[in-house]
Amino acid sequence: MVSNNSKPKMCNLSITLSCMLRCKICYHWQNDEKNIKRPNLDEWKKFIHSLRGEVASDFAIAFGGGEPLLFPDELIELISFSSSLGFTTALSTSGHTINKEYTERLVRTGLDNINLTIFSLNSNVHDFLRGVNGSLAKVLSVISYLKLFSDTLSIGINTIIMKPSLDDLQNLTEWVNNDSRLAGIYFQAIARPFHTPFVEEWYKTERYQFLWPDDLCKLENVIDALIALKQKGYRISNTVSQFITFKSFFTSPSNFIKPFTCNLIRGSFFTIDSDGTMKICPYMESLGKITEGNFQQLWYSDRAEKAREKIRQCKTNCHHLINCWYEGEDDVGREFK
């Protein structure tokens, strides 16, 4: 049985798994949720309230997706409610539909952190990867709006190491570091695009191979440059060991296996999908739906114990182990962005 002392520290709550953009690295925009029965606002709130006393004192709720801004009013309500209960709140978004008026509403919720994705400061590259023209200009305007209404909201930039943007990553890092409005930048390695069928060597397929950085010498030079900037004190959230792990992954993506047990087994993280399904690992079976029980009932259930045992035995070459859930020798105590 899981220990009562192993209280979760973070939840990723996906209000929706759809999106209005047409990204080349993610196909959530093809996800049709018309027939999905989603929890209503009261059901979401009831479950969030059930977390009180059952999670870590610094527990964070990260609202993501898909694109959570597809449900702008519901998002405002849920962030406000979570903040009122004392939870840390974070929002991961493209920012594509945020205007000045909505920014003011968003800041008033008590939101602690917002993470915006920028692939490149070259609009041709960023907009191509987003699949929608004007995407870069839009996200840059959002940063300006956010600072109009708050001096305390932490604004982070997320980006991805991949072939189309490889030449632009150092410039992007310099820009983030020189912009006092921004908290820092977090890098992830390109992985199999979300919401696509599992293909073991996806990066060799005609559809996706353009994303893969196949010039290893160039890739290593870029990563070494990022490590050097990190060591100079640049506001880069990744650790040096994670960058070194990226090198190993890109050199041998099919053979790369994390040499120790998935850190999800410690029970610090769980996800909730747009239909209310709660999971420890998003790729394994659910613990049940939040409409079927409160947090305590789901987290300590027999289904949860079976899920944990599967995680203990799992040897899947999961990209999360090198990205969001990465934990290395120099990451003791490190938590997700």
mmCIF file of all heavy atoms in Angstrom, residues 41-60:
data_model
loop_
_atom_site.group_PDB
_atom_site.id
_atom_site.type_symbol
_atom_site.label_atom_id
_atom_site.label_comp_id
_atom_site.label_asym_id
_atom_site.label_seq_id
_atom_site.Cartn_x
_atom_site.Cartn_y
_atom_site.Cartn_z
ATOM 1 N N LEU A 41 -18.712 22.151 -13.781
ATOM 2 C CA LEU A 41 -17.904 23.022 -12.935
ATOM 3 C C LEU A 41 -17.995 22.622 -11.463
ATOM 4 O O LEU A 41 -16.978 22.600 -10.745
ATOM 5 C CB LEU A 41 -18.355 24.476 -13.118
ATOM 6 C CG LEU A 41 -17.456 25.557 -12.531
ATOM 7 C CD1 LEU A 41 -16.047 25.466 -13.094
ATOM 8 C CD2 LEU A 41 -18.049 26.935 -12.808
ATOM 9 N N ASP A 42 -19.188 22.292 -11.000
ATOM 10 C CA ASP A 42 -19.353 21.898 -9.600
ATOM 11 C C ASP A 42 -18.602 20.604 -9.290
ATOM 12 O O ASP A 42 -18.036 20.451 -8.198
ATOM 13 C CB ASP A 42 -20.835 21.734 -9.263
ATOM 14 C CG ASP A 42 -21.565 23.062 -9.175
ATOM 15 O OD1 ASP A 42 -20.892 24.089 -8.967
ATOM 16 O OD2 ASP A 42 -22.802 23.074 -9.314
ATOM 17 N N GLU A 43 -18.598 19.669 -10.243
ATOM 18 C CA GLU A 43 -17.890 18.403 -10.032
ATOM 19 C C GLU A 43 -16.381 18.612 -9.978
ATOM 20 O O GLU A 43 -15.680 17.994 -9.165
ATOM 21 C CB GLU A 43 -18.278 17.413 -11.124
ATOM 22 C CG GLU A 43 -19.712 16.906 -10.978
ATOM 23 C CD GLU A 43 -20.195 16.135 -12.185
ATOM 24 O OE1 GLU A 43 -19.702 16.382 -13.321
ATOM 25 O OE2 GLU A 43 -21.100 15.276 -12.014
ATOM 26 N N TRP A 44 -15.870 19.488 -10.860
ATOM 27 C CA TRP A 44 -14.445 19.818 -10.797
ATOM 28 C C TRP A 44 -14.103 20.410 -9.435
ATOM 29 O O TRP A 44 -13.125 20.025 -8.784
ATOM 30 C CB TRP A 44 -14.072 20.836 -11.881
ATOM 31 C CG TRP A 44 -13.870 20.311 -13.263
ATOM 32 C CD1 TRP A 44 -14.552 20.679 -14.390
ATOM 33 C CD2 TRP A 44 -12.889 19.362 -13.706
ATOM 34 N NE1 TRP A 44 -14.074 20.016 -15.501
ATOM 35 C CE2 TRP A 44 -13.054 19.199 -15.101
ATOM 36 C CE3 TRP A 44 -11.903 18.640 -13.062
ATOM 37 C CZ2 TRP A 44 -12.255 18.344 -15.864
ATOM 38 C CZ3 TRP A 44 -11.089 17.778 -13.812
ATOM 39 C CH2 TRP A 44 -11.278 17.646 -15.194
ATOM 40 N N LYS A 45 -14.920 21.358 -8.993
ATOM 41 C CA LYS A 45 -14.644 22.041 -7.729
ATOM 42 C C LYS A 45 -14.737 21.080 -6.541
ATOM 43 O O LYS A 45 -13.929 21.154 -5.602
ATOM 44 C CB LYS A 45 -15.614 23.210 -7.535
ATOM 45 C CG LYS A 45 -15.332 24.401 -8.436
ATOM 46 C CD LYS A 45 -16.301 25.546 -8.135
ATOM 47 C CE LYS A 45 -15.969 26.785 -8.940
ATOM 48 N NZ LYS A 45 -16.895 27.909 -8.648
ATOM 49 N N LYS A 46 -15.701 20.203 -6.568
ATOM 50 C CA LYS A 46 -15.866 19.251 -5.470
ATOM 51 C C LYS A 46 -14.624 18.375 -5.332
ATOM 52 O O LYS A 46 -14.141 18.117 -4.217
ATOM 53 C CB LYS A 46 -17.102 18.383 -5.715
ATOM 54 C CG LYS A 46 -17.384 17.385 -4.593
ATOM 55 C CD LYS A 46 -18.644 16.581 -4.883
ATOM 56 C CE LYS A 46 -18.905 15.563 -3.781
ATOM 57 N NZ LYS A 46 -20.126 14.758 -4.057
ATOM 58 N N PHE A 47 -14.092 17.936 -6.474
ATOM 59 C CA PHE A 47 -12.897 17.090 -6.415
ATOM 60 C C PHE A 47 -11.685 17.884 -5.936
ATOM 61 O O PHE A 47 -10.916 17.419 -5.091
ATOM 62 C CB PHE A 47 -12.594 16.476 -7.777
ATOM 63 C CG PHE A 47 -11.371 15.604 -7.753
ATOM 64 C CD1 PHE A 47 -11.447 14.311 -7.269
ATOM 65 C CD2 PHE A 47 -10.140 16.089 -8.166
ATOM 66 C CE1 PHE A 47 -10.316 13.500 -7.207
ATOM 67 C CE2 PHE A 47 -9.000 15.301 -8.111
ATOM 68 C CZ PHE A 47 -9.092 14.000 -7.632
ATOM 69 N N ILE A 48 -11.510 19.083 -6.473
ATOM 70 C CA ILE A 48 -10.377 19.916 -6.051
ATOM 71 C C ILE A 48 -10.438 20.184 -4.555
ATOM 72 O O ILE A 48 -9.421 20.142 -3.855
ATOM 73 C CB ILE A 48 -10.355 21.236 -6.862
ATOM 74 C CG1 ILE A 48 -10.009 20.952 -8.328
ATOM 75 C CG2 ILE A 48 -9.348 22.220 -6.274
ATOM 76 C CD1 ILE A 48 -10.167 22.141 -9.250
ATOM 77 N N HIS A 49 -11.641 20.421 -4.045
ATOM 78 C CA HIS A 49 -11.801 20.653 -2.605
ATOM 79 C C HIS A 49 -11.402 19.415 -1.801
ATOM 80 O O HIS A 49 -10.864 19.533 -0.683
ATOM 81 C CB HIS A 49 -13.251 21.042 -2.289
ATOM 82 C CG HIS A 49 -13.449 21.576 -0.903
ATOM 83 N ND1 HIS A 49 -13.667 20.752 0.193
ATOM 84 C CD2 HIS A 49 -13.441 22.847 -0.422
ATOM 85 C CE1 HIS A 49 -13.791 21.494 1.277
ATOM 86 N NE2 HIS A 49 -13.653 22.764 0.940
ATOM 87 N N SER A 50 -11.625 18.228 -2.365
ATOM 88 C CA SER A 50 -11.298 16.991 -1.652
ATOM 89 C C SER A 50 -9.789 16.773 -1.518
ATOM 90 O O SER A 50 -9.352 15.891 -0.768
ATOM 91 C CB SER A 50 -11.932 15.780 -2.355
ATOM 92 O OG SER A 50 -11.217 15.414 -3.534
ATOM 93 N N LEU A 51 -8.993 17.569 -2.208
ATOM 94 C CA LEU A 51 -7.539 17.470 -2.104
ATOM 95 C C LEU A 51 -7.014 18.044 -0.789
ATOM 96 O O LEU A 51 -5.925 17.691 -0.346
ATOM 97 C CB LEU A 51 -6.875 18.211 -3.268
ATOM 98 C CG LEU A 51 -7.160 17.690 -4.679
ATOM 99 C CD1 LEU A 51 -6.592 18.648 -5.714
ATOM 100 C CD2 LEU A 51 -6.558 16.297 -4.868
ATOM 101 N N ARG A 52 -7.779 18.936 -0.182
ATOM 102 C CA ARG A 52 -7.321 19.609 1.036
ATOM 103 C C ARG A 52 -6.999 18.597 2.144
ATOM 104 O O ARG A 52 -7.800 17.719 2.456
ATOM 105 C CB ARG A 52 -8.372 20.592 1.544
ATOM 106 C CG ARG A 52 -8.680 21.711 0.593
ATOM 107 C CD ARG A 52 -9.580 22.751 1.217
ATOM 108 N NE ARG A 52 -8.869 23.550 2.226
ATOM 109 C CZ ARG A 52 -9.446 24.513 2.948
ATOM 110 N NH1 ARG A 52 -10.742 24.760 2.813
ATOM 111 N NH2 ARG A 52 -8.746 25.208 3.821
ATOM 112 N N GLY A 53 -5.791 18.714 2.677
ATOM 113 C CA GLY A 53 -5.366 17.812 3.737
ATOM 114 C C GLY A 53 -4.819 16.491 3.243
ATOM 115 O O GLY A 53 -4.244 15.723 4.021
ATOM 116 N N GLU A 54 -4.991 16.201 1.945
ATOM 117 C CA GLU A 54 -4.563 14.925 1.385
ATOM 118 C C GLU A 54 -3.309 15.052 0.520
ATOM 119 O O GLU A 54 -2.731 14.048 0.116
ATOM 120 C CB GLU A 54 -5.681 14.313 0.535
ATOM 121 C CG GLU A 54 -6.961 14.031 1.293
ATOM 122 C CD GLU A 54 -6.788 12.921 2.323
ATOM 123 O OE1 GLU A 54 -5.896 12.083 2.142
ATOM 124 O OE2 GLU A 54 -7.548 12.912 3.309
ATOM 125 N N VAL A 55 -2.907 16.277 0.236
ATOM 126 C CA VAL A 55 -1.760 16.513 -0.642
ATOM 127 C C VAL A 55 -0.717 17.350 0.102
ATOM 128 O O VAL A 55 -0.963 17.856 1.196
ATOM 129 C CB VAL A 55 -2.191 17.223 -1.945
ATOM 130 C CG1 VAL A 55 -3.096 16.311 -2.760
ATOM 131 C CG2 VAL A 55 -2.903 18.548 -1.641
ATOM 132 N N ALA A 56 0.451 17.504 -0.508
ATOM 133 C CA ALA A 56 1.535 18.260 0.114
ATOM 134 C C ALA A 56 1.127 19.716 0.333
ATOM 135 O O ALA A 56 0.271 20.258 -0.378
ATOM 136 C CB ALA A 56 2.779 18.191 -0.765
ATOM 137 N N SER A 57 1.755 20.350 1.311
ATOM 138 C CA SER A 57 1.405 21.734 1.646
ATOM 139 C C SER A 57 1.700 22.695 0.503
ATOM 140 O O SER A 57 1.067 23.744 0.401
ATOM 141 C CB SER A 57 2.163 22.165 2.903
ATOM 142 O OG SER A 57 3.573 22.056 2.700
ATOM 143 N N ASP A 58 2.653 22.331 -0.357
ATOM 144 C CA ASP A 58 2.992 23.184 -1.500
ATOM 145 C C ASP A 58 2.419 22.631 -2.807
ATOM 146 O O ASP A 58 2.967 22.870 -3.881
ATOM 147 C CB ASP A 58 4.507 23.349 -1.625
ATOM 148 C CG ASP A 58 5.234 22.008 -1.763
ATOM 149 O OD1 ASP A 58 4.589 20.951 -1.571
ATOM 150 O OD2 ASP A 58 6.445 22.020 -2.056
ATOM 151 N N PHE A 59 1.328 21.904 -2.705
ATOM 152 C CA PHE A 59 0.714 21.242 -3.859
ATOM 153 C C PHE A 59 0.385 22.234 -4.978
ATOM 154 O O PHE A 59 -0.114 23.332 -4.730
ATOM 155 C CB PHE A 59 -0.565 20.531 -3.427
ATOM 156 C CG PHE A 59 -1.217 19.732 -4.511
ATOM 157 C CD1 PHE A 59 -0.722 18.502 -4.892
ATOM 158 C CD2 PHE A 59 -2.360 20.212 -5.157
ATOM 159 C CE1 PHE A 59 -1.329 17.755 -5.894
ATOM 160 C CE2 PHE A 59 -2.975 19.478 -6.151
ATOM 161 C CZ PHE A 59 -2.458 18.245 -6.525
ATOM 162 N N ALA A 60 0.692 21.828 -6.211
ATOM 163 C CA ALA A 60 0.451 22.677 -7.379
ATOM 164 C C ALA A 60 -0.522 22.008 -8.341
ATOM 165 O O ALA A 60 -0.432 20.804 -8.596
ATOM 166 C CB ALA A 60 1.759 22.967 -8.103
#
